[in-house]
Amino acid sequence: MKKGLQGVIVVLVIIAVLGLFIFSTYNGLVTSEEAVNSAWSQVENQIQRRLDLIPNLVSTVKGYAAHEESIFSEVTRAREKLIGAGSLSEMAEANQELSGALSRLLAIAENYPQLKADANFRQLSDELAGTENRIAVARMDYNNAVRAYNTKIRRFPTVIFANMFGFERKDYFQADERASEVPKVDFSGESE
């Protein structure tokens, strides 16, 4: 009788340890996935901040460089594309387009000394530069959270439970292939 009771206790202890392991693993996966989601919301938050700054910046530059209409259209199109982006890859591509268009917009200021001297333009440029830095940090934090999460769901034995409970790999926020290209800035007023 004693051996039977000991066997039952051993089985119950094994079941309890296994249950505790599964419970702990699942909660760890949920925590990691939420860290990724939180980091992504910070990327979106900073991108929204940039999107909110752009109309003011464009308006300020327009006052000095009204004949540079093609760049204003380009910035507006890129901004709308970023707002409408549905997937991470679409957002990364639209973000890169907008960054290039903003670089060209800010380069226009070099031709207009009175624009560079405008306090509103300087403030908006500084805010935009700060926002770009915040976006870079938020993207890095997001990619670090994705790396930790993806590593966790691929490690044994967690991979078994990750597959069982439907935890899937997350995509990194990667720069567009064109990010290494130097944007072309044309001050001649001619559009291509």
Side-chain angles (χ1 to χ4, degrees):
M1 180 74 175
K2 237 179 177 183
K3 274 192 167 186
L5 184 57
Q6 285 178 339
V8 169
I9 291 174
V10 168
V11 169
L12 289 176
V13 167
I14 290 172
I15 290 173
V17 168
L18 185 60
L20 187 60
F21 177 74
I22 292 170
F23 177 77
S24 174
T25 301
Y26 180 81
N27 286 340
L29 290 170
V30 168
T31 301
S32 292
E33 187 174 46
E34 285 305 311
V36 170
N37 294 339
S38 175
W40 179 246
S41 72
Q42 288 307 310
V43 171
E44 290 179 322
N45 184 28
Q46 296 308 322
I47 287 174
Q48 184 61 52
R49 177 181 160 80
R50 182 189 343 153
L51 290 173
D52 293 343
L53 284 171
I54 290 170
N56 294 329
L57 184 63
V58 168
S59 294
T60 302
V61 175
K62 266 187 180 180
Y64 289 92
H67 65 282
E68 306 279 358
E69 194 60 43
S70 65
I71 190 63
F72 303 132
S73 299
E74 188 179 335
V75 169
T76 302
R77 268 193 317 274
R79 181 178 181 269
E80 289 170 0
K81 186 174 180 181
L82 184 57
I83 290 170
S87 69
L88 181 64
S89 61
E90 287 175 0
M91 183 174 272
E93 181 182 332
N95 183 57
Q96 190 59 41
E97 260 183 58
L98 183 58
S99 293
L102 285 173
S103 294
R104 288 185 286 284
L105 177 69
L106 293 174
I108 288 175
E110 296 301 317
N111 276 357
Y112 300 93
Q114 67 274 34
L115 173 60
K116 287 179 11 182
D118 183 80
N120 192 29
F121 176 77
R122 283 195 324 264
Q123 179 189 359
L124 288 168
S125 295
D126 290 345
E127 284 187 44
L128 187 60
T131 299
E132 293 298 332
N133 289 335
R134 288 179 181 145
I135 290 170
V137 168
R139 284 175 51 181
M140 182 183 66
D141 291 346
Y142 170 76
N143 284 340
N144 286 339
V146 167
R147 181 192 43 76
Y149 170 79
N150 285 346
T151 300
K152 182 177 267 192
I153 67 167
R154 293 179 62 211
R155 283 190 170 157
F156 186 80
T158 308
V159 66
I160 296 167
F161 301 106
N163 288 335
M164 187 184 320
F165 293 120
F167 290 92
E168 297 178 355
R169 291 191 68 194
K170 303 288 185 182
D171 293 329
Y172 289 96
F173 194 112
Q174 297 178 347
D176 188 25
E177 295 165 357
R178 296 171 288 185
S180 60
E181 296 175 13
V182 177
K184 182 178 180 188
V185 180
D186 180 15
F187 292 120
S188 67
E190 300 171 12
S191 59
E192 295 179 6

